[in-house]
Amino acid sequence: DNGVHASASPFEALAERMNWLRAPLHTDPFGAALLGMGVPEDMIQDWTKDPQTLVVGRQKGSVFDALEDLDRAPCLDKIAELAAHTAIPLDVNQAFVFIKPHAVTEATKALLAQQFA
């Protein structure tokens, strides 16, 4: 039986230190590097639970799998890429809606307020 574990990436190692050793994100060297790059703390915390997120284009997959077998620098680069794609969910329809100047009436405002409530 295998009684030894080694993390598959620096990010997975961070997640395991936070989980098993209760290591604070801010004092962990890799965690501090992520925060210093501007990766939001709540995103890092969420990713330590290995959620499905956008990893390649519009494909969803495991964060841990996307970072597996990467050394520190490539792992940081990949995390920056994933964080940029995750910041704006690409699987949610989005639109910019406004009332054209000639159509600004109380009836139009009420209609939009009702539709987007």
Side-chain angles (χ1 to χ4, degrees), residues 83 109 115:
K109 290 182 204 177
Q115 291 296 317

Side-chain angles (χ1 to χ4, degrees), residues 48-100:
T48 64
K49 295 160 187 68
D50 194 23
Q52 296 287 302
T53 191
L54 297 173
V55 292
V56 179
R58 292 181 177 262
Q59 297 294 323
K60 287 189 174 186
S62 161
V63 172
F64 285 7
D65 288 351
L67 303 174
E68 190 170 332
D69 296 331
L70 296 178
D71 289 333
R72 184 181 188 279
C75 188
L76 289 170
D77 291 342
K78 184 68 174 182
I79 288 170
E81 177 186 331
L82 293 175
H85 289 298
T86 304
I88 300 173
L90 299 178
D91 58 347
V92 175
N93 292 325
Q94 298 180 2
F96 178 70
V97 179
F98 66 97
I99 301 171
K100 294 180 180 180

Side-chain angles (χ1 to χ4, degrees), residues 101-112:
H102 71 278
V104 177
T105 65
E106 292 305 316
T108 305
K109 290 182 204 177
L111 175 66
L112 286 179

Side-chain angles (χ1 to χ4, degrees), residues 13-24:
L14 167 67
E16 291 169 343
R17 286 190 298 274
M18 291 172 63
N19 180 44
W20 294 106
L21 304 177
R22 301 289 181 235

